[in-house]
Amino acid sequence: MTRSRRQTDAALPQVTISEDAEVRFLHLGTEWVQGSMLIDAPFDIELEYVQRMMAWLLFVEPGSVASRRALQLGLGSAALTKFCFRKLRMDTTAIELNPQVLAVCRQWFKLPPDGPRLRVLLAEAGAEIRRAEHLGRYDAVQVDLYDHEAAAPVLDDAGFYGDVRALLTDEGAMTVNLFGRDASFSRSLQGITEAFGPESVWAFRPTREGNTIVLALRTAQHPARLQLLARAEAVQARWGLPATKWLRLFKPVSSP
């Protein structure tokens, strides 16, 4: 999670944690859950909507994943960052504004230290991604940019999504968590389709909690159903994600 460009450092929310049986939660000054971790399986992804942020795996060959690069905009509890780094063996970068979030992830959420394949940049995401060294570099960009109020994404227009598209390789994909009022979702989806083109955009049905994951491809793909099923079975077998279930909940936004 992160904040808008207009906020000052003094406005950054206090980071707190809570626990409920086997799960640890991260909060930003409110009761809203901004991330979670299974205490006995810290490199797994616990939340359903966060698992769906990995749907880009359906559009690449499983054997190529470890040679690819991932970027997270908003660290949260580091679930995606840890999964991409440890489970997928990817070169992984995260951009996070709040230094407290990074410190808590390192102390309480098992985020490994920076190294040759892992780095966390303390920066404002909207500005950082326009730096030349990021352009065309990433195969997966995962966007989860909410502030402590969790009302709507803080970076959420066609210009921002165009900047994200410029980060992607030709086979790259963005996944974004959208959560809020129906009007907010429609506006977000409009910005994504304007930046990527409607043929490149796929969406899940909302989770029970109201999170809708949208995927946008740098280059449009519409794989055959059997190819998607084979990929989903491979993802589920290799990495334990419920990918075959995704196929019942996931379709192109341009389809009827």
Side-chain angles (χ1 to χ4, degrees), residues 147-162:
D147 63 14
H148 60 289
E149 295 176 350
V154 296
L155 295 173
D156 185 45
D157 57 31
F160 167 69
Y161 292 120

Side-chain angles (χ1 to χ4, degrees), residues 43 75 78 81-82 84-86 89-94 102-121:
F43 293 94
L75 185 61
T81 302
K82 292 185 299 182
C84 289
F85 170 69
R86 180 63 64 88
R89 310 298 300 171
M90 295 177 72
D91 183 287
T92 306
T93 302
L102 176 56
V104 167
C105 283
R106 290 258 156 83
Q107 183 173 0
W108 295 101
F109 289 88
K110 304 293 185 181
L111 177 64
D114 282 5
R117 286 193 303 107
L118 177 66
R119 66 204 60 84
V120 179
L121 306 177

Side-chain angles (χ1 to χ4, degrees), residues 66-83:
S67 65
R68 296 177 182 269
R69 294 188 177 104
L71 172 67
Q72 292 83 43
L73 304 185
L75 185 61
S77 64
L80 291 168
T81 302
K82 292 185 299 182
F83 192 89

Side-chain angles (χ1 to χ4, degrees), residues 177-227:
N177 173 36
L178 299 176
F179 179 76
R181 299 181 298 276
D182 289 344
S184 172
F185 174 77
S186 298
R187 184 172 62 250
S188 300
L189 189 61
Q190 181 178 349
I192 294 168
T193 55
E194 184 177 331
F196 283 83
E199 294 299 316
S200 293
V201 182
W202 297 58
F204 280 92
R205 296 177 192 170
T207 64
R208 290 185 300 274
E209 296 78 18
N211 298 82
T212 298
I213 302 306
V214 174
L215 178 144
L217 297 157
R218 180 72 169 83
T219 304
Q221 292 187 50
H222 289 270
R225 179 77 180 180
L226 285 178
Q227 183 182 7

